[in-house]
Amino acid sequence: MADDAKQPGDPALAKRLRQALRGDILFDAFSRGRYSTDASIYQIEPLGVAVPRDRDDVAAALAIAREEGVSVLPRGGGTSQCGQTVGRSLVLDCSKYMNGIVSVDAANRRAVVEPGIVLDRLNKVLRKDGLFFPVDVSTSSRATIGGMTANNSCGSRSLRYGNMVHNVRAIDAILADGTATHMGETSGNFGDDAAVPERMRDLVRRMRALHRREADEIDARIPKLLRKVGGYNIDMISDAGHNMAHLLVGSEGTLAFFNAIELDLQPIPQNRVLGICHFPTFYKAMDATQHIVKLGPAAVELIDRTMIGLSRDIAMYRPTVERFVKGEPAALLLVEFAGDDGDDNLRRLTQLGTLMGDLGFPGAVVEAIEPAFQSAVWDVRRAGLNIMMSMKGDGKPISFIEDCAVALEDLADYTDRLETIFKRHGTYGTFYAHASVGCLHVRPVINLKQDIGAKTMRAIAEEAFAMVREYKGSHSGEHGDGLVRSEFHEKMFGTRIVAAFKEVKDAFDHDGLFNPGKIVDPPKMDDRSLFRFKPGYATPDIKTVLDWSEWGGFAGAVEMCNNNGACRKSDPGVMCPSFRATADEQHLTRGRANTLRLALSGQLGTEALTSDTMRETMALCVSCKGCKRECPTGVDMARMKIEFLYHYKKRHGLTLRDRLVAYLPRYAAVASRLGGLLNLRNRLPFAAKLGEALTGLSARRKLPVWHSEPYRDLQNPPLPLRERDGVRGLLPDDASGAAPSPSHRSATGPPELLSKGLSREGRRDKCVVLLVDTFNRWFEPENARAAERVLHRAGYTVIAAPAPDNGRPLCCGRTFLAAGLVGQAREEARRTIAALKPFIENGIPIIGLEPSCLLTLRDEFTVLLPGAESAALAKHAVLFEEFVASEIAGGQFALSVSALPERAALVHGHCHQKAFNTVGAVEAALRLIPGLDVKSFDATCCGMAGAFGYEAEHYEMSMKIGELAVLPTVRAAAADTLIVAGGTSCRHQIGDGAGRQALHLARVLDRASRSAT
Ligand SMILES: Cc1cc2nc3c(=O)[nH]c(=O)nc-3n(C[C@H](O)[C@H](O)[C@H](O)COP(=O)(O)OP(=O)(O)OC[C@H]3O[C@@H](n4cnc5c(N)ncnc54)[C@H](O)[C@@H]3O)c2cc1C
Ligand code: SF4
Ligand code: SF4
């Protein structure tokens, strides 16, 4: 197939596809750019992308491709590491629509699925039958069964369950000539069965003839290891009968398109235990593996010293690592025993301890019996590669010899020699993963932006593969061949086997319709014109408005995305709500990062960064910061969106809606006086419609209601300390939102005075600053007043931070950031930092109520105004719940509380609370209340996300995101369960979408403590 028959984006081809297919056709440059990479080092622009709805669409696309003379590249999650999912072809993405379960036969433990279904989703469905599909790849949250099948993927427990090839029973495939076939078991006399189409019989005959002819060579050259996924599985052909589907497994999209895959399922083991073996040297861990596997474990996985160190540095993993790592081991082996007999598993765990003692490491096993602890340990192991990829800078751990496999007896020597090779080339690597099957992952750190990097890669590859051959190992033990490995088939398998591979390709796909250049006829693996960072790749400096120095610039931050696809997960966690709702690559953290990278490096034409197409790419990013926490390499798209908006708005100007939202903190005091009038908009449908026409704020939404008694701390005179000391017990017995009388208010005033006074009386440690944000001040002042009362009752002196010149209240600037008005936001930051500085210098905590506002002080302020002052503020700025929880933990929170009529509380964490890990603090604070059953739930964004859900064009999407988890969960809660939500927009969304009133934690504590005082 002539790949250059068409140019990328060919309009005639796109038109034909649009006419014939029901699915999406994506031929614009931005979409092509998003599909030009997988998780490998390569980047090739496809001709275009079709997202078929069903097998009819696939058949139609293949027919058009044949007629137009273009090749086809099937695609799942695009997480391949070897470049098998990139090519100058028509990409067929099956992940969006072709992702159903066709049937489950629980009695016979079989399932038939469409290729685009993600492994975790399949296993979630199978769980109710006590079954699972056991090829547990690390990318289980986004790897599709189609991609796993075509890559012959392997999991951590392959020692027990084997690879894909051992678990796929049959495949419904469509061949290059359009023949639809069912590939499965074929008996010895298969060729005589007239009921089988001649095309199929011919294929079987040819494969068997090939096998007969090459049997000796196959026996001599194909490694006899479990972890062998290079080339086609010609060693599995047999005259006596074989499974034709096994030839398609591992074919990397080069032989046929899979429409459906039949899988063998396994019963979920009723019991698992984990022993974490500690070793003083890496060599000893490798040497011990061969003995450990004799105990019959389901998995033996390696974590080395570098990985332990990197995991300790990641907040999310630190507590787990502290629990399962004792001391400073050079390497750990995670040894799992699984089966229905719990006693037997424990017995084997004891044997493991004895064996470790015999090997010279007594007491070196940490036991994990509790399932939650085990799964936390596995989470760290699964995140291994991702953790490594969090390395900043141009030198990155590169995947090319990452999954070589050798026999266990050779493992220690092999890894030792590999390290010597790395050293000789001036680099190093980190080892981890599947020790049990001799397949360790290792990525040397190389800078592929430079020619010397590409040369180093080739030199290491040649030396490493030569060594693997010496050990009769496998150069491709897990991730497949793609562009990075296919070239080495000749050296590893010899010319006869490579000729046999070509014969297979020719028999299935004579004209080269499917995924050219993979497995057979590959290009050079170090051809830099195929790299993501091609010769001449450059990202000209743009004058950024935020500080990106931590990554060496904005482009460096964007390039942190290595396409591993973790943002495609759907459960659990937050990332990435817009993808969860759309299943579109465009609306995915990865899609956005790739688009930004291509734009910054000039690959999408001039002014791409500030184009409307880029705006569309960023439009559904709700700035939830889910990626900041959950992206393994720390891609922080919310921050990138601010940078983008700044440049975009600078070029295109602000809309009226931008201004209305951005300047809200500035005009709120005036508008509040007209609150009664403005609130009419919510009651008069025509006013809402007119409002939508004028401002773009959805008429289907009620806007936040201006409160008749806003929070007005600034109007209160400073109180002498004596009076402040006496405030406890004088508070109004009222949570209705009415303003307390001045005598009950917090102290305000010049900070020098206050701090002096406080110092004199030694009360500084019992003082806090309550920073009331725009939303809690003008719309929901009852929250601020409740917080104030709670803090007073608990014995704190609450200081309302004075604004300079007693002017408008302090502000975090978030509304400006949301409109790209970074200069204004910086101004607010400067003002806030200056006003709070004296308190910070006195060690007084700054407490906020609204997560997105307060956490701006901890997050964006540090890049708006990098330096010691913003860093100091970041250290002192805490959410109300964090303060309460830490005081409770320190035994200093003297709040008397009594039981509430409600017996349960359901906590919905705002995305930023999740990003900064504060939901646990809300739960801890609520647990002060006797008899209250407190639960939080795992969910992505509620969909409101600041102003997003109010925007007319985003209303539907906002509700769709809400319906992913938050709204149904709240609806399902018992009527007398308290719904607790820290974010003002979350409370509104819950009110609008679930018809329930959600309360801020402060109000719940206020109610519980009111009756107790
Ligand atoms: C961080 C990380 C960890 C990983 N861990 C593992 C691991 O533990 N074990 C492992 O084996 N791999 C691992 N991989 C590699 C990769 O995730 C797996 O190979 C995965 O199975 C690929 O699935 P996918 O849906 O992303 O497939 P894609 O990358 O989209 O496609 C893979 C191949 O399948 C072909 N294909 C897709 N759909 C079809 C179809 N319908 N018909 C025919 N061909 C099709 C494609 O053309 C391509 O050649 C890892 C990758 C990363 C980035
Ligand atoms: S954005 Fe993060 S999670 Fe998503 S593909 Fe890129 S690196 Fe992976
Ligand atoms: S901030 Fe949220 S919506 Fe935006 S890319 Fe990250 S996870 Fe997705």
Side-chain angles (χ1 to χ4, degrees), residues 277-279 288 292 351-365:
C277 304
H278 289 52
F279 293 91
I292 291 173
Q351 286 169 1
L352 178 67
T354 311
L355 172 67
M356 284 291 284
D358 293 347
L359 293 172
F361 314 111
V365 181

mmCIF file with all atom_site columns, all heavy atoms in Angstrom, residues 277-279 288 292 351-365:
data_model
loop_
_atom_site.group_PDB
_atom_site.id
_atom_site.type_symbol
_atom_site.label_atom_id
_atom_site.label_alt_id
_atom_site.label_comp_id
_atom_site.label_asym_id
_atom_site.label_entity_id
_atom_site.label_seq_id
_atom_site.pdbx_PDB_ins_code
_atom_site.Cartn_x
_atom_site.Cartn_y
_atom_site.Cartn_z
_atom_site.occupancy
_atom_site.B_iso_or_equiv
_atom_site.pdbx_formal_charge
_atom_site.auth_seq_id
_atom_site.auth_comp_id
_atom_site.auth_asym_id
_atom_site.auth_atom_id
_atom_site.pdbx_PDB_model_num
ATOM 1   N N   . CYS A 1 277 ? 9.580  -8.602  50.537 1.00 0.00 ? 277 CYS A N   1
ATOM 2   C CA  . CYS A 1 277 ? 10.922 -9.061  50.933 1.00 0.00 ? 277 CYS A CA  1
ATOM 3   C C   . CYS A 1 277 ? 11.932 -7.941  50.730 1.00 0.00 ? 277 CYS A C   1
ATOM 4   O O   . CYS A 1 277 ? 12.011 -7.370  49.640 1.00 0.00 ? 277 CYS A O   1
ATOM 5   C CB  . CYS A 1 277 ? 11.342 -10.265 50.088 1.00 0.00 ? 277 CYS A CB  1
ATOM 6   S SG  . CYS A 1 277 ? 10.179 -11.622 50.176 1.00 0.00 ? 277 CYS A SG  1
ATOM 7   N N   . HIS A 1 278 ? 12.702 -7.675  51.776 1.00 0.00 ? 278 HIS A N   1
ATOM 8   C CA  . HIS A 1 278 ? 13.697 -6.592  51.727 1.00 0.00 ? 278 HIS A CA  1
ATOM 9   C C   . HIS A 1 278 ? 15.096 -7.170  51.473 1.00 0.00 ? 278 HIS A C   1
ATOM 10  O O   . HIS A 1 278 ? 15.491 -8.142  52.128 1.00 0.00 ? 278 HIS A O   1
ATOM 11  C CB  . HIS A 1 278 ? 13.717 -5.842  53.068 1.00 0.00 ? 278 HIS A CB  1
ATOM 12  C CG  . HIS A 1 278 ? 12.486 -5.015  53.299 1.00 0.00 ? 278 HIS A CG  1
ATOM 13  N ND1 . HIS A 1 278 ? 11.210 -5.512  53.191 1.00 0.00 ? 278 HIS A ND1 1
ATOM 14  C CD2 . HIS A 1 278 ? 12.353 -3.700  53.643 1.00 0.00 ? 278 HIS A CD2 1
ATOM 15  C CE1 . HIS A 1 278 ? 10.333 -4.545  53.440 1.00 0.00 ? 278 HIS A CE1 1
ATOM 16  N NE2 . HIS A 1 278 ? 11.007 -3.447  53.718 1.00 0.00 ? 278 HIS A NE2 1
ATOM 17  N N   . PHE A 1 279 ? 15.824 -6.544  50.557 1.00 0.00 ? 279 PHE A N   1
ATOM 18  C CA  . PHE A 1 279 ? 17.176 -7.026  50.234 1.00 0.00 ? 279 PHE A CA  1
ATOM 19  C C   . PHE A 1 279 ? 18.188 -5.892  50.359 1.00 0.00 ? 279 PHE A C   1
ATOM 20  O O   . PHE A 1 279 ? 17.902 -4.762  49.941 1.00 0.00 ? 279 PHE A O   1
ATOM 21  C CB  . PHE A 1 279 ? 17.225 -7.564  48.797 1.00 0.00 ? 279 PHE A CB  1
ATOM 22  C CG  . PHE A 1 279 ? 16.411 -8.818  48.618 1.00 0.00 ? 279 PHE A CG  1
ATOM 23  C CD1 . PHE A 1 279 ? 15.072 -8.732  48.240 1.00 0.00 ? 279 PHE A CD1 1
ATOM 24  C CD2 . PHE A 1 279 ? 16.970 -10.069 48.834 1.00 0.00 ? 279 PHE A CD2 1
ATOM 25  C CE1 . PHE A 1 279 ? 14.306 -9.873  48.078 1.00 0.00 ? 279 PHE A CE1 1
ATOM 26  C CE2 . PHE A 1 279 ? 16.202 -11.225 48.678 1.00 0.00 ? 279 PHE A CE2 1
ATOM 27  C CZ  . PHE A 1 279 ? 14.868 -11.131 48.299 1.00 0.00 ? 279 PHE A CZ  1
ATOM 28  N N   . ALA A 1 288 ? 17.673 -14.227 44.415 1.00 0.00 ? 288 ALA A N   1
ATOM 29  C CA  . ALA A 1 288 ? 16.702 -14.946 45.269 1.00 0.00 ? 288 ALA A CA  1
ATOM 30  C C   . ALA A 1 288 ? 15.438 -15.338 44.497 1.00 0.00 ? 288 ALA A C   1
ATOM 31  O O   . ALA A 1 288 ? 14.732 -16.275 44.882 1.00 0.00 ? 288 ALA A O   1
ATOM 32  C CB  . ALA A 1 288 ? 16.316 -14.057 46.454 1.00 0.00 ? 288 ALA A CB  1
ATOM 33  N N   . ILE A 1 292 ? 12.393 -18.163 45.199 1.00 0.00 ? 292 ILE A N   1
ATOM 34  C CA  . ILE A 1 292 ? 11.060 -17.740 45.671 1.00 0.00 ? 292 ILE A CA  1
ATOM 35  C C   . ILE A 1 292 ? 9.959  -18.319 44.782 1.00 0.00 ? 292 ILE A C   1
ATOM 36  O O   . ILE A 1 292 ? 8.922  -18.751 45.280 1.00 0.00 ? 292 ILE A O   1
ATOM 37  C CB  . ILE A 1 292 ? 10.987 -16.193 45.734 1.00 0.00 ? 292 ILE A CB  1
ATOM 38  C CG1 . ILE A 1 292 ? 11.891 -15.690 46.867 1.00 0.00 ? 292 ILE A CG1 1
ATOM 39  C CG2 . ILE A 1 292 ? 9.558  -15.721 45.961 1.00 0.00 ? 292 ILE A CG2 1
ATOM 40  C CD1 . ILE A 1 292 ? 12.041 -14.184 46.944 1.00 0.00 ? 292 ILE A CD1 1
ATOM 41  N N   . GLN A 1 351 ? 6.434  -19.781 54.939 1.00 0.00 ? 351 GLN A N   1
ATOM 42  C CA  . GLN A 1 351 ? 7.553  -20.441 54.244 1.00 0.00 ? 351 GLN A CA  1
ATOM 43  C C   . GLN A 1 351 ? 8.466  -19.404 53.591 1.00 0.00 ? 351 GLN A C   1
ATOM 44  O O   . GLN A 1 351 ? 9.683  -19.575 53.535 1.00 0.00 ? 351 GLN A O   1
ATOM 45  C CB  . GLN A 1 351 ? 7.023  -21.390 53.159 1.00 0.00 ? 351 GLN A CB  1
ATOM 46  C CG  . GLN A 1 351 ? 6.423  -22.667 53.716 1.00 0.00 ? 351 GLN A CG  1
ATOM 47  C CD  . GLN A 1 351 ? 5.666  -23.458 52.629 1.00 0.00 ? 351 GLN A CD  1
ATOM 48  O OE1 . GLN A 1 351 ? 5.606  -23.048 51.475 1.00 0.00 ? 351 GLN A OE1 1
ATOM 49  N NE2 . GLN A 1 351 ? 5.083  -24.574 53.025 1.00 0.00 ? 351 GLN A NE2 1
ATOM 50  N N   . LEU A 1 352 ? 7.838  -18.324 53.095 1.00 0.00 ? 352 LEU A N   1
ATOM 51  C CA  . LEU A 1 352 ? 8.637  -17.264 52.478 1.00 0.00 ? 352 LEU A CA  1
ATOM 52  C C   . LEU A 1 352 ? 9.598  -16.667 53.505 1.00 0.00 ? 352 LEU A C   1
ATOM 53  O O   . LEU A 1 352 ? 10.779 -16.443 53.216 1.00 0.00 ? 352 LEU A O   1
ATOM 54  C CB  . LEU A 1 352 ? 7.705  -16.176 51.913 1.00 0.00 ? 352 LEU A CB  1
ATOM 55  C CG  . LEU A 1 352 ? 8.378  -14.973 51.265 1.00 0.00 ? 352 LEU A CG  1
ATOM 56  C CD1 . LEU A 1 352 ? 9.100  -15.371 49.978 1.00 0.00 ? 352 LEU A CD1 1
ATOM 57  C CD2 . LEU A 1 352 ? 7.358  -13.875 50.935 1.00 0.00 ? 352 LEU A CD2 1
ATOM 58  N N   . GLY A 1 353 ? 9.068  -16.438 54.726 1.00 0.00 ? 353 GLY A N   1
ATOM 59  C CA  . GLY A 1 353 ? 9.913  -15.894 55.797 1.00 0.00 ? 353 GLY A CA  1
ATOM 60  C C   . GLY A 1 353 ? 11.074 -16.839 56.084 1.00 0.00 ? 353 GLY A C   1
ATOM 61  O O   . GLY A 1 353 ? 12.232 -16.407 56.225 1.00 0.00 ? 353 GLY A O   1
ATOM 62  N N   . THR A 1 354 ? 10.759 -18.145 56.118 1.00 0.00 ? 354 THR A N   1
ATOM 63  C CA  . THR A 1 354 ? 11.807 -19.137 56.407 1.00 0.00 ? 354 THR A CA  1
ATOM 64  C C   . THR A 1 354 ? 12.852 -19.136 55.285 1.00 0.00 ? 354 THR A C   1
ATOM 65  O O   . THR A 1 354 ? 14.060 -19.138 55.533 1.00 0.00 ? 354 THR A O   1
ATOM 66  C CB  . THR A 1 354 ? 11.167 -20.545 56.507 1.00 0.00 ? 354 THR A CB  1
ATOM 67  O OG1 . THR A 1 354 ? 10.041 -20.446 57.371 1.00 0.00 ? 354 THR A OG1 1
ATOM 68  C CG2 . THR A 1 354 ? 12.147 -21.566 57.031 1.00 0.00 ? 354 THR A CG2 1
ATOM 69  N N   . LEU A 1 355 ? 12.341 -19.107 54.052 1.00 0.00 ? 355 LEU A N   1
ATOM 70  C CA  . LEU A 1 355 ? 13.259 -19.124 52.906 1.00 0.00 ? 355 LEU A CA  1
ATOM 71  C C   . LEU A 1 355 ? 14.180 -17.904 52.945 1.00 0.00 ? 355 LEU A C   1
ATOM 72  O O   . LEU A 1 355 ? 15.399 -18.025 52.733 1.00 0.00 ? 355 LEU A O   1
ATOM 73  C CB  . LEU A 1 355 ? 12.453 -19.137 51.598 1.00 0.00 ? 355 LEU A CB  1
ATOM 74  C CG  . LEU A 1 355 ? 13.271 -18.966 50.317 1.00 0.00 ? 355 LEU A CG  1
ATOM 75  C CD1 . LEU A 1 355 ? 14.190 -20.166 50.077 1.00 0.00 ? 355 LEU A CD1 1
ATOM 76  C CD2 . LEU A 1 355 ? 12.359 -18.788 49.110 1.00 0.00 ? 355 LEU A CD2 1
ATOM 77  N N   . MET A 1 356 ? 13.604 -16.744 53.243 1.00 0.00 ? 356 MET A N   1
ATOM 78  C CA  . MET A 1 356 ? 14.419 -15.533 53.303 1.00 0.00 ? 356 MET A CA  1
ATOM 79  C C   . MET A 1 356 ? 15.497 -15.690 54.384 1.00 0.00 ? 356 MET A C   1
ATOM 80  O O   . MET A 1 356 ? 16.636 -15.273 54.196 1.00 0.00 ? 356 MET A O   1
ATOM 81  C CB  . MET A 1 356 ? 13.541 -14.310 53.584 1.00 0.00 ? 356 MET A CB  1
ATOM 82  C CG  . MET A 1 356 ? 12.738 -13.838 52.388 1.00 0.00 ? 356 MET A CG  1
ATOM 83  S SD  . MET A 1 356 ? 13.767 -13.131 51.089 1.00 0.00 ? 356 MET A SD  1
ATOM 84  C CE  . MET A 1 356 ? 14.153 -11.527 51.780 1.00 0.00 ? 356 MET A CE  1
ATOM 85  N N   . GLY A 1 357 ? 15.121 -16.312 55.503 1.00 0.00 ? 357 GLY A N   1
ATOM 86  C CA  . GLY A 1 357 ? 16.097 -16.569 56.568 1.00 0.00 ? 357 GLY A CA  1
ATOM 87  C C   . GLY A 1 357 ? 17.214 -17.472 56.046 1.00 0.00 ? 357 GLY A C   1
ATOM 88  O O   . GLY A 1 357 ? 18.405 -17.193 56.239 1.00 0.00 ? 357 GLY A O   1
ATOM 89  N N   . ASP A 1 358 ? 16.810 -18.532 55.336 1.00 0.00 ? 358 ASP A N   1
ATOM 90  C CA  . ASP A 1 358 ? 17.805 -19.470 54.793 1.00 0.00 ? 358 ASP A CA  1
ATOM 91  C C   . ASP A 1 358 ? 18.737 -18.782 53.801 1.00 0.00 ? 358 ASP A C   1
ATOM 92  O O   . ASP A 1 358 ? 19.900 -19.143 53.662 1.00 0.00 ? 358 ASP A O   1
ATOM 93  C CB  . ASP A 1 358 ? 17.102 -20.631 54.061 1.00 0.00 ? 358 ASP A CB  1
ATOM 94  C CG  . ASP A 1 358 ? 16.312 -21.509 55.028 1.00 0.00 ? 358 ASP A CG  1
ATOM 95  O OD1 . ASP A 1 358 ? 16.520 -21.353 56.255 1.00 0.00 ? 358 ASP A OD1 1
ATOM 96  O OD2 . ASP A 1 358 ? 15.478 -22.311 54.563 1.00 0.00 ? 358 ASP A OD2 1
ATOM 97  N N   . LEU A 1 359 ? 18.170 -17.794 53.084 1.00 0.00 ? 359 LEU A N   1
ATOM 98  C CA  . LEU A 1 359 ? 19.003 -17.088 52.095 1.00 0.00 ? 359 LEU A CA  1
ATOM 99  C C   . LEU A 1 359 ? 19.902 -16.033 52.759 1.00 0.00 ? 359 LEU A C   1
ATOM 100 O O   . LEU A 1 359 ? 20.654 -15.339 52.089 1.00 0.00 ? 359 LEU A O   1
ATOM 101 C CB  . LEU A 1 359 ? 18.117 -16.404 51.044 1.00 0.00 ? 359 LEU A CB  1
ATOM 102 C CG  . LEU A 1 359 ? 17.331 -17.338 50.109 1.00 0.00 ? 359 LEU A CG  1
ATOM 103 C CD1 . LEU A 1 359 ? 16.344 -16.541 49.238 1.00 0.00 ? 359 LEU A CD1 1
ATOM 104 C CD2 . LEU A 1 359 ? 18.259 -18.133 49.199 1.00 0.00 ? 359 LEU A CD2 1
ATOM 105 N N   . GLY A 1 360 ? 19.749 -15.912 54.064 1.00 0.00 ? 360 GLY A N   1
ATOM 106 C CA  . GLY A 1 360 ? 20.607 -14.973 54.793 1.00 0.00 ? 360 GLY A CA  1
ATOM 107 C C   . GLY A 1 360 ? 19.930 -13.661 55.140 1.00 0.00 ? 360 GLY A C   1
ATOM 108 O O   . GLY A 1 360 ? 20.596 -12.685 55.484 1.00 0.00 ? 360 GLY A O   1
ATOM 109 N N   . PHE A 1 361 ? 18.576 -13.612 55.030 1.00 0.00 ? 361 PHE A N   1
ATOM 110 C CA  . PHE A 1 361 ? 17.860 -12.359 55.345 1.00 0.00 ? 361 PHE A CA  1
ATOM 111 C C   . PHE A 1 361 ? 16.737 -12.616 56.345 1.00 0.00 ? 361 PHE A C   1
ATOM 112 O O   . PHE A 1 361 ? 15.554 -12.488 56.002 1.00 0.00 ? 361 PHE A O   1
ATOM 113 C CB  . PHE A 1 361 ? 17.298 -11.725 54.068 1.00 0.00 ? 361 PHE A CB  1
ATOM 114 C CG  . PHE A 1 361 ? 18.265 -11.692 52.933 1.00 0.00 ? 361 PHE A CG  1
ATOM 115 C CD1 . PHE A 1 361 ? 18.067 -12.479 51.807 1.00 0.00 ? 361 PHE A CD1 1
ATOM 116 C CD2 . PHE A 1 361 ? 19.406 -10.902 53.005 1.00 0.00 ? 361 PHE A CD2 1
ATOM 117 C CE1 . PHE A 1 361 ? 18.977 -12.475 50.763 1.00 0.00 ? 361 PHE A CE1 1
ATOM 118 C CE2 . PHE A 1 361 ? 20.317 -10.888 51.956 1.00 0.00 ? 361 PHE A CE2 1
ATOM 119 C CZ  . PHE A 1 361 ? 20.116 -11.682 50.844 1.00 0.00 ? 361 PHE A CZ  1
ATOM 120 N N   . PRO A 1 362 ? 17.087 -12.996 57.570 1.00 0.00 ? 362 PRO A N   1
ATOM 121 C CA  . PRO A 1 362 ? 16.024 -13.263 58.538 1.00 0.00 ? 362 PRO A CA  1
ATOM 122 C C   . PRO A 1 362 ? 15.254 -11.987 58.877 1.00 0.00 ? 362 PRO A C   1
ATOM 123 O O   . PRO A 1 362 ? 15.836 -10.895 58.894 1.00 0.00 ? 362 PRO A O   1
ATOM 124 C CB  . PRO A 1 362 ? 16.782 -13.796 59.762 1.00 0.00 ? 362 PRO A CB  1
ATOM 125 C CG  . PRO A 1 362 ? 18.180 -13.297 59.599 1.00 0.00 ? 362 PRO A CG  1
ATOM 126 C CD  . PRO A 1 362 ? 18.422 -13.108 58.139 1.00 0.00 ? 362 PRO A CD  1
ATOM 127 N N   . GLY A 1 363 ? 13.973 -12.122 59.109 1.00 0.00 ? 363 GLY A N   1
ATOM 128 C CA  . GLY A 1 363 ? 13.136 -10.982 59.516 1.00 0.00 ? 363 GLY A CA  1
ATOM 129 C C   . GLY A 1 363 ? 13.010 -9.925  58.447 1.00 0.00 ? 363 GLY A C   1
ATOM 130 O O   . GLY A 1 363 ? 12.715 -8.758  58.742 1.00 0.00 ? 363 GLY A O   1
ATOM 131 N N   . ALA A 1 364 ? 13.211 -10.303 57.188 1.00 0.00 ? 364 ALA A N   1
ATOM 132 C CA  . ALA A 1 364 ? 13.225 -9.280  56.126 1.00 0.00 ? 364 ALA A CA  1
ATOM 133 C C   . ALA A 1 364 ? 11.935 -9.269  55.315 1.00 0.00 ? 364 ALA A C   1
ATOM 134 O O   . ALA A 1 364 ? 11.912 -8.763  54.199 1.00 0.00 ? 364 ALA A O   1
ATOM 135 C CB  . ALA A 1 364 ? 14.420 -9.519  55.214 1.00 0.00 ? 364 ALA A CB  1
ATOM 136 N N   . VAL A 1 365 ? 10.859 -9.860  55.870 1.00 0.00 ? 365 VAL A N   1
ATOM 137 C CA  . VAL A 1 365 ? 9.595  -9.865  55.123 1.00 0.00 ? 365 VAL A CA  1
ATOM 138 C C   . VAL A 1 365 ? 8.551  -9.043  55.889 1.00 0.00 ? 365 VAL A C   1
ATOM 139 O O   . VAL A 1 365 ? 8.248  -9.334  57.044 1.00 0.00 ? 365 VAL A O   1
ATOM 140 C CB  . VAL A 1 365 ? 9.058  -11.304 54.919 1.00 0.00 ? 365 VAL A CB  1
ATOM 141 C CG1 . VAL A 1 365 ? 7.766  -11.284 54.114 1.00 0.00 ? 365 VAL A CG1 1
ATOM 142 C CG2 . VAL A 1 365 ? 10.106 -12.178 54.226 1.00 0.00 ? 365 VAL A CG2 1
#
